[in-house]
Amino acid sequence: MPPPIVFHPAYEAVLPPGHRFPMRKYGRFAEVLTAKGLVPNGFVRPEPAGPDLLALAHERAYVEAALGLRLPPAVEREIGLPVDAGVVARACASAGGTLAAARLALAGGLAGSAAGGSHHARRESGAGFCVFNDVAVAARALQADGSIARALVVDLDVHQGDGTADCLGRSPDLFTLSVHGEKNYPTRKIAGDRDIGLPDGIDDAGYLSVLAGCLPDLLDRLAPDLVFYNAGVDPHRDDRLGRLSLSDEGLARRDGYVVREVRRRRIPLVAVIGGGYTTDIDALAGRHALVFEAMAAAS
């Protein structure tokens, strides 16, 4: 039986025509997951995150300004999305979805959310298409209620997880690993616990070699209670914001490797989809499905 997948209709907000963020991928992704037989019992629908939950990872003044649709224009420009009611509802649903998926992973070993990975949202501000940091919110919530003591964030989106590093930097038991394009966004990176910057154009073999050189050691040394896996597909060679050269096969091998290494140690894993900016929405949705296929194969 495939592991549970969390989805909320609010994951797909409405953006102005021609906006460069591929918002349509979320609805199409849900259709692809269904067509592939990965949700035989339907999606799990999460409760959107409220202000108290969001304030576990973000400054309350920022949370209240975002929820009240009162963000300054400069912050809205840094986020790169019109922060209206639909976009805020999407961010709240995404944070609640990652938390719900994490609880399912703790209960059954594997689970995922068909959104999430908003890793540029920092304690005091959003950025890079990210309003709230869903992984940081979920990690702090689980630690606060005693569900976990230690977690590892494995962030393989092509962009460095600066916001997650900022949100979790004061919690030594919430460890961040970011493997990303060194010359890519953000220009000013916020150091996490382990950052590995890759050169432009790295291929499947080079990427997987780097991953094999760091992940097993971290899993053994940290022995986390839970792994959050940001399976961004923007390292793909066709991604317009990526600058790396992974193939579909390379992404599939990457996802399978992460899932196997984590589960071989009997550590629960929750996956979020992270970034992907190919203009072909069908191809993009298919790439995002790879991590859920890897989890289904391991369950």
Side-chain angles (χ1 to χ4, degrees):
M1 178 69 66
I5 302 175
V6 175
F7 177 79
H8 195 290
Y11 282 177
E12 184 175 325
V14 177
L15 295 180
H19 196 284
R20 64 178 182 146
F21 185 80
M23 188 66 77
R24 171 58 188 140
K25 74 176 184 178
Y26 295 96
R28 181 65 184 127
F29 181 41
E31 295 168 356
V32 167
L33 291 172
T34 301
K36 287 178 174 290
L38 293 170
V39 283
N41 295 321
F43 292 103
V44 177
R45 182 162 174 162
E47 182 71 24
D52 291 340
L53 184 60
L54 297 167
L56 293 173
H58 297 284
E59 294 293 336
R60 188 168 288 275
Y62 170 67
V63 171
E64 292 176 353
L67 295 180
L69 309 182
R70 294 181 283 102
L71 290 180
V75 174
E76 194 168 12
R77 285 194 299 272
E78 189 169 1
I79 291 171
L81 299 171
V83 186
D84 56 20
V87 167
V88 170
R90 173 183 177 271
C92 292
S94 181
T98 296
L99 177 57
R103 294 195 188 282
L104 289 168
L106 288 171
L110 288 167
S113 176
S118 296
H119 62 166
H120 298 307
R122 304 186 292 271
R123 285 197 306 267
E124 298 181 355
S125 179
F129 305 136
C130 305
V131 179
F132 299 128
N133 194 309
D134 57 287
V135 166
V137 168
R140 285 209 179 273
L142 294 171
Q143 192 180 57
D145 70 14
S147 297
I148 62 170
R150 177 177 296 169
L152 169 62
V153 179
V154 176
D155 189 340
L156 301 188
D157 189 282
V158 82
H159 305 107
Q160 192 247 358
D162 59 326
T164 310
D166 186 48
C167 290
L168 302 183
R170 300 172 183 176
S171 298
D173 287 328
L174 300 176
F175 193 100
T176 60
L177 165 68
S178 178
V179 181
H180 53 266
E182 180 62 30
K183 296 181 180 178
N184 213 318
Y185 179 92
T187 303
R188 295 184 178 181
K189 295 171 173 57
I190 297 174
D193 295 297
R194 180 80 181 274
D195 291 307
I196 301 176
L198 303 174
D200 285 1
I202 195 169
D203 62 7
D204 294 348
Y207 188 102
L208 293 167
S209 177
V210 169
L211 188 57
C214 64
L215 182 61
D217 175 69
L218 278 177
L219 291 170
D220 291 338
R221 181 160 52 86
L222 296 173
D225 302 310
L226 177 67
V227 168
F228 290 90
Y229 176 34
N230 183 340
V233 299
D234 39 14
H236 193 273
R237 62 191 174 202
D238 293 337
D239 197 276
R240 56 193 174 92
L241 300 183
R243 301 175 63 166
L244 303 187
S245 296
L246 272 67
S247 65
D248 285 0
E249 180 186 358
L251 288 174
R253 289 170 60 196
R254 178 200 70 172
D255 292 344
Y257 178 76
V258 172
V259 171
R260 287 192 303 274
E261 286 296 309
V262 174
R263 292 304 294 144
R264 188 163 66 86
R265 293 163 173 81
R266 301 185 182 277
I267 301 169
L269 179 145
V270 55
V272 294
I273 71 169
Y277 304 96
T278 306
T279 54
D280 184 336
I281 297 298
D282 286 344
L284 188 55
R287 289 178 195 134
H288 280 307
L290 292 171
V291 67
F292 295 95
E293 292 177 309
M295 290 196 294
S299 59

